[in-house]
Amino acid sequence: MLKVYTCIATQHDLRLVALAALVCALASFTAVNLLHHVGRSEREMRRIWLAVAAVATGFGIWSTHFIAMLAFQPAVPSGYNIALTIVSLVAAIALTGTGLTVGMSPRVPYARWIGGMIVGGGIAVMHYTGMAAFEIAGRVVWDMPLVAVSIALGGLFGAAALPVALRANTIKWKALGALVLTVAICSHHFTAMGAAAIVPDPRIVVSATALPAEWMAIGLALASIVIILLALVGLVLDLRDLRRAGETARMQELADAAVEGLVVYNETTIVAANHSFAALACVDGSQPVGRLLESFFPTVSQGELTATARKPLEAELCATDGSMIPVELIRHNILYAGKQHQVVAVRDIRGRKRAEEQIHFLAHHDPLTKLPNRTSFNEKLEAEFAAHRGTDRCLAVLFLDLDRFKEINDLFGHLIGDAVLQCVAEKIKNVLKPEHMVARLGGDEFAVIVPGLPSPAYATRTAEAILNAFDETAVNLPAGVTIGTSIGIAVFPNDAPDRATLLSHADAALYEAKLEGRGIYRVFEPSMGEHLHDRRQFEHDIRHAISRNEFSLVFQPQAELHSNRVFGFEALLRWDHGTRGAIAPTVFIPIAEECGAILKIGEWVLRTACAEAATWDRPLGVSVNVSAVQLHGGNLPELVEEVLKETGLDPSRLELEITESSLIKDIGRALAVLHKLKDLGVQIAMDDFGTGYSSLSNLRAFPFDKIKVDQSLVRAVDTSDEAAAVMRAVFGLARGLKLPVLAEGVETDAELSFLRAEACDEMQGYLLGRPCPIAEFAQHTSGEGKVAAPQRLRKHKLRVVKDSAA
């Protein structure tokens, strides 16, 4: 090494040595910088940038050598062989290009180390070829150990240069790589120069064609200019890349902020993707960049993808775990990294698909029982009609209606009613075959389609299976809740030629089953249609009875027992049908409640009764019955307030009679309605007490002003000790609650005597007066003075008093 140091210190112009080192460093950095552009380039551009990098490196090695040779100042004449000088430059470029090509190859193991060693070999070839081009009046004697050292240094540092330079695309690693490559070139050159000893020999003459040092300097200057130009090109490329990197980073930030997935690709390969797409598609944590676009969208053709620029495309995304995700794709062209690319917006539509499925389900199914609804039933029936026409198979339709379902709702509430409907749905589904269909048509109405029957008789087997299922106890319903059903059956083509007629006949058969006792099934017969037609006509007549002036009110007096004073009347509805004549309220009121006409009828009764009472000279009370439908389904408090204002009737004169069973349907709502009525100032009486569901808790909870004992108890007091005991208990209960009691249906002297003996407050019945038009009671509603009871009641009182005195 001392020989090398002596060579540099005593035989070289150190200024030129420094220049050689500077040119070498500049060329090395330029080469490294250009190599990074090779890694980002494709196809032809990759080869072009490899060639440019090879030229920069070759020129750098060559310039370093010959600038250092110019710095070498031997004491004898010298020059440069032109041919060998050019060969040395070409060799430097060729071997460097080969080394860089190998180093950038992804298919060669340890490519960067091997490529770097080839570059180191190119340094040695260039140096010793250049030394061969050096002509001097003397002989060059080589120190072979130092020659070997120079080749080893070039090879080792050259092998390390590429791995260091290409480790990362940053200034730090580029500079380190350039430094290692510079050390490889300089250490080889100056060690090799130290290995050469010049022995002057006058016999050797420098050839006349040898290139003088001055001309060589000009060539080196030109080579240096080439290196500087290539360095400037690299700088421009770096600045462009920095700008593009900034734009790409901003684009990536914006893309990552998007909820939708975004994918940038160049025809086939993904070059960028945002976090949303990576989270959606790469559930295994991998990255989508570098993968083929078709690996995520295998079912989408290029033509379909191109068409999404005009219209969104629904497709399936194949995630890395193999799952298929429904997505919506929209494609656009963009300029990315200075080149035309395509970007696809990927919208996850799983939520929308679930919502669409839910909407479709709700449109075709009953939300409570999850059974198909009327729409699905009609569609299925139409399809079965088309399939059965022209065949020898039969199609049966079964209509089911739950027996006394309204009572279950009234007694146990709607929650239990809903549970009953769900239980019924399960019972029916469990006995049906896969090709059968059960649907909930509404309320407690169900329908079953039984296709492919060999004969009509087979339809009854399904009906029997359903009835047997209803005989089994429902384990998830409260004790006391029993479920029954009636079934009507109609068969195509025997009973009807079309869907509408078939359904009508099944309905007629169901109606007949309910009339005959419930809990049975009936197959349609032609006579059944007449019964159903009568029922439908009856409902129609009820709805039009008001407009036809067929309804009227009669009034029955109510009196105080202790004073015999008539204090009011109960308004009772009568229907004089145009063709059927007088129809009892017990016949038409339940039907009116079932068909929904009771709301309109109840309003008419309330208005008519209040308007009549407002015309009386005496301020007697008027009682009006309220149905459960009015209490829970209408706007009763608002209606009462409106009627009182219109008629001018004092609210305290109006008494609303409400049965206890109507309260149980929805106790919370009933309590709220009754409190609103009380706020208006009207009186509220519990009607029909003592029958059905009678509860002390309801008397305490609801704001009743009076208890009306049902006539069935009153009529039995003189013949049944149990009835008399119940009546006494009712009177005692009422006195404890400070509620007056009115006994209904008093018809005999014995009943009246019992009531007086038990200190009953009020009475109503035939003994006092039959229901009549209000004109029959003009003596009570007009005039002045005490409102007396009928003569029979007064005589009875006198007789009781006389007997007591005796």
Side-chain angles (χ1 to χ4, degrees), residues 251 262-268 271 293 302-311 329-345:
M251 290 177 65
L262 295 175
V263 179
V264 180
Y265 68 100
N266 54 356
E267 296 184 359
T268 59
V271 298
L293 187 68
Q302 191 64 35
E304 289 176 323
L305 200 57
T306 302
T308 61
R310 300 183 298 274
K311 180 181 177 182
L329 306 178
I330 302 176
R331 187 192 68 88
H332 292 288
N333 294 325
I334 65 166
L335 191 66
Y336 182 83
K339 297 179 182 179
Q340 280 293 330
H341 286 77
Q342 292 79 41
V343 61
V344 173

Side-chain angles (χ1 to χ4, degrees), residues 153-223:
L153 288 174
L156 290 175
F157 283 111
L162 291 188
V164 173
L166 297 177
R167 182 170 181 176
N169 187 21
T170 62
I171 293 295
K172 171 186 174 182
W173 290 104
K174 287 180 181 180
L176 287 175
L179 176 62
V180 174
L181 185 57
T182 301
V183 171
I185 297 172
C186 291
S187 63
H188 170 83
H189 175 82
F190 290 106
T191 303
M193 289 299 293
I198 305 299
V199 178
D201 188 349
R203 295 172 298 176
I204 299 175
V205 179
V206 176
S207 65
T209 59
L211 190 66
E214 292 79 5
W215 289 100
M216 189 63 186
I218 295 174
L220 290 174
L222 292 176

Side-chain angles (χ1 to χ4, degrees), residues 395-410:
L395 169 67
V397 170
L398 284 63
F399 271 10
L400 292 80
D401 188 279
L402 301 187
D403 297 337
R404 299 181 179 86
F405 180 69
K406 182 178 182 296
E407 295 178 10
I408 295 176
N409 267 336
D410 290 344

Side-chain angles (χ1 to χ4, degrees), residues 418-438:
D418 290 346
V420 167
L421 293 174
Q422 292 170 332
C423 179
V424 167
E426 287 300 317
K427 284 178 178 289
I428 298 174
K429 284 194 300 183
N430 289 339
V431 301
L432 296 182
K433 297 179 180 179
E435 64 270 19
H436 298 172
M437 175 184 183
V438 57

